[in-house]
Amino acid sequence: MVYNFDPYLRDIMPVSEFDFKALNDYITSSKDTVLKDKAIAAGKKYIGSSSSMTGVLSHFHFLLSEWRELDTSHLSNSFPATSKTYTKLSRLPAVVFLRYRNGVYAVDADKEWDTSNVLMGLGKSMEKLLTIPRDQYERYRRNSPDKILKEDSPPEVYHYSTCGDFLMRSQLDAYDPRLPGTGMFDLKTRAVVSIRMDAREPWNAMGYQIKTRLGDFESFEREYYDMMRSAFLKYHLQVRIGRMDGIFVAFHNIKRIFGFQYISLPEMDKCIHGQEDTALGDAEFKLSLNIWNKVIDVATQTFPKQSLRFHFDTRETQNPFMYIFAEPMTEDEITKIQERNLDEIQAYEKRVFYPELLEPQQMDSSISEADNPTKQEPESKESASEDDIDPEKPLLAMALSIRNFVNGKEVDRPTMFTAKDTWTVKYQLAHFGKERGWTLYNACKKRRSRFLGALEDEEAPNSAFKERLNAISKEGQKWRDQMDKIEKAKGIIQYQS
């Protein structure tokens, strides 16, 4: 077998062997004192991270582009690209908290429906695998005689950028001097389709392989298409916030890395905006932030010096518009929502990432659950934020509509846009009365909770599709076992360019 990368990277360290406790804790925008101090020094009112802001910015893309279809021309003619829209999960209302502290408002991601899965842990461990030398990475193995301590882990490095009243933070993953601009790029670990369809209990899906470049299944093309629909929009926004050149993707099935692909910002823009010239995406990014800035201004003037919970929901109508809801909340109310699933998340992580901490009886139960693909999932929960709906509570409910103009001429959406062109947006914010506002707000929250609670989605693993993936995975494992025997007999060759 010939590898064009270090074969050590091929085999992924199991999550049960990696010491996640040695990693630095993630710091949300509202708890980042450095970010807040920088904002005060720069005279900025609003702060956020790339991960907390991309959901809302995605809805501004839907609005400003009038739900522009994905450009699938990158794919082969034989690939069945049956949909050119984003996944339902990507189109759900985006929800964030705007937390007020000492004159600064921080954008925090809403965690009401957060759950844990294998990929959340694996993304952290694989990032270390790809960014530090092998001997240092091995120190994160739990049984390492020279195990690394949390205080020895290097601090995260961030890039900061501004737009209007925003100060944005982006974690820096990797650098290559051969790249244009800043030379920075983002690392992404992408699990194959069988794993993503059941990321909480993927044990029967780890036999799925990537064997070819093109094709409907077991191909890099399948994973690329799925990324276009579910991840490219978020990725290209994160790249812009961090002023990076692109993303470096590692494709895997939890056990094994199949290969890597570098995807530049122009390539992602081609899929999302229909052109490789980044002028259109750059202009949309700035317009999105400017309009979002003005929306927040209206809300913070209505409810000064208060924390707010925002819902942004671009509707798929003939003339798209965006519902925006801002509800004042106390810190206790925010904490209740943010920690709604905390016990369940901690129990899952203990079972999967730290099985040695389980009691013997719990261990037996954990093993039997992992071996039983037909086990029942917990019943869906009601939204914590819908328990005590009080129409008398204050609420700002608005509808945002826009009109696009390129070089003074009104258009549905910009096309073939260059840096020489001028894109202006005229927008209108219509305000709803309290009764109508609460009716629309509750409907928005229920749309989101029904989906996230029941996972009713055409992309969700229906039984027939899941059975097909399981069958492919079973055959894939047999194929992999044969390939491993051949590799063991003939040895490994590492290609050196």
Side-chain angles (χ1 to χ4, degrees), residues 49 51 56 60 77 89 131 135 153 168 196 203 223 234 237 246 278 292 368 405 425 439 462 475:
S49 66
S51 58
V56 175
F60 277 101
N77 292 333
L89 183 62
T131 56
D135 58 341
S153 287
M168 298 168 284
R196 297 195 313 274
W203 324 118
E223 307 309 324
K234 175 179 69 175
L237 288 167
T278 59
W292 188 8
S368 64
F405 294 83
V425 175
T439 299
N462 61 62
E475 292 302 313

Side-chain angles (χ1 to χ4, degrees), residues 173-176 179 183-187 244-248 262:
D173 286 344
Y175 169 78
D176 192 310
L179 292 175
M184 304 303 303
F185 60 96
D186 213 358
L187 289 177
M244 293 179 274
D245 179 75
I247 60 173
F248 187 72
Y262 187 79

Side-chain angles (χ1 to χ4, degrees), residues 12-72:
I12 300 172
M13 186 187 298
V15 292
S16 59
E17 295 181 16
F18 187 90
D19 187 6
F20 292 97
K21 293 180 179 178
L23 298 176
N24 295 315
D25 295 328
Y26 176 76
I27 303 174
T28 60
S29 302
S30 61
K31 294 181 179 179
D32 190 337
T33 56
V34 174
L35 181 62
K36 186 188 74 172
D37 291 344
K38 286 181 178 291
I40 293 173
K44 303 299 179 183
K45 295 188 293 183
Y46 310 126
I47 59 176
S49 66
S50 57
S51 58
S52 67
M53 297 179 68
T54 51
V56 175
L57 290 172
S58 295
H59 273 266
F60 277 101
H61 166 71
F62 300 149
L63 180 67
L64 293 172
S65 71
E66 293 206 355
W67 293 98
R68 187 196 307 272
E69 287 189 338
L70 289 163
D71 185 331
T72 58

Side-chain angles (χ1 to χ4, degrees), residues 334-375:
I334 293 174
T335 299
K336 178 183 177 183
I337 293 171
Q338 295 293 70
E339 296 183 356
R340 170 178 174 269
N341 286 334
L342 185 59
D343 290 343
E344 184 180 314
I345 290 171
Q346 291 176 341
Y348 176 88
E349 292 178 349
K350 184 177 180 181
R351 174 170 67 86
V352 175
F353 300 157
Y354 295 95
E356 71 276 9
L357 300 180
L358 296 174
E359 298 294 333
Q361 186 176 0
Q362 291 177 297
M363 178 73 80
D364 292 340
S365 173
S366 173
I367 293 172
S368 64
E369 287 177 359
D371 290 340
N372 180 11
T374 61
K375 75 178 187 69

Side-chain angles (χ1 to χ4, degrees), residues 296-316:
I296 297 179
D297 286 344
V298 172
T300 54
Q301 289 165 11
T302 305
F303 306 113
K305 298 183 179 181
Q306 296 183 63
S307 294
L308 304 169
R309 191 189 195 200
F310 277 93
H311 283 65
F312 295 84
D313 185 15
T314 302
R315 306 302 294 150
E316 298 179 65

Side-chain angles (χ1 to χ4, degrees), residues 93-300:
V95 187
V96 294
F97 288 102
L98 194 68
R99 303 178 86 159
Y100 177 78
R101 286 176 186 167
N102 302 322
V104 176
Y105 295 87
V107 179
D108 276 358
D110 183 286
K111 299 180 180 179
E112 180 181 13
W113 290 99
D114 273 14
T115 59
S116 188
N117 60 54
V118 173
L119 300 181
M120 291 181 177
L122 203 61
K124 299 174 185 177
S125 64
M126 289 182 67
E127 181 182 306
K128 289 295 181 185
L129 171 67
L130 298 172
T131 56
I132 60 177
R134 180 194 304 190
D135 58 341
Q136 292 184 33
Y137 179 70
E138 283 294 334
R139 294 184 64 198
Y140 283 94
R141 199 180 291 273
R142 283 188 213 161
N143 61 1
S144 169
D146 186 27
K147 192 163 69 171
I148 195 168
L149 301 176
K150 188 170 187 175
E151 51 266 30
D152 296 330
S153 287
E156 304 297 344
V157 180
Y158 299 106
H159 174 87
Y160 301 92
S161 56
T162 63
C163 183
D165 293 319
F166 280 105
L167 175 64
M168 298 168 284
R169 181 195 79 190
S170 175
Q171 181 178 321
L172 298 182
D173 286 344
Y175 169 78
D176 192 310
R178 294 170 294 181
L179 292 175
T182 63
M184 304 303 303
F185 60 96
D186 213 358
L187 289 177
K188 300 296 180 185
T189 56
R190 182 71 176 178
V192 293
V193 59
S194 65
I195 301 296
R196 297 195 313 274
M197 291 299 99
D198 195 2
R200 284 182 63 82
E201 306 293 341
W203 324 118
N204 291 330
M206 295 190 295
Y208 189 98
Q209 309 293 313
I210 294 182
K211 301 176 182 177
T212 61
R213 188 169 66 89
L214 306 177
D216 193 5
F217 288 99
E218 297 185 299
S219 71
F220 286 103
E221 187 174 35
R222 152 60 64 179
E223 307 309 324
Y224 189 96
Y225 172 66
D226 287 350
M227 275 199 301
M228 287 174 58
R229 297 192 61 219
S230 63
F232 267 15
L233 186 54
K234 175 179 69 175
Y235 290 169
H236 101 299
L237 288 167
Q238 291 173 341
V239 165
R240 280 193 159 86
I241 291 173
R243 293 198 291 180
M244 293 179 274
D245 179 75
I247 60 173
F248 187 72
V249 185
F251 298 96
H252 67 91
N253 68 352
I254 293 182
K255 291 170 60 177
R256 184 186 189 98
I257 290 180
F258 298 109
F260 305 91
Q261 182 176 8
Y262 187 79
I263 304 173
S264 67
L265 181 59
E267 184 175 338
M268 287 189 283
D269 272 16
K270 172 65 173 171
C271 298
I272 296 166
H273 302 290
Q275 61 176 64
E276 291 187 354
D277 187 337
T278 59
L280 176 54
D282 292 341
E284 183 184 277
F285 178 67
K286 293 175 184 176
L287 284 167
S288 298
L289 284 169
N290 287 334
I291 299 175
W292 188 8
N293 197 146
K294 291 179 172 63
V295 168
I296 297 179
D297 286 344
V298 172
T300 54

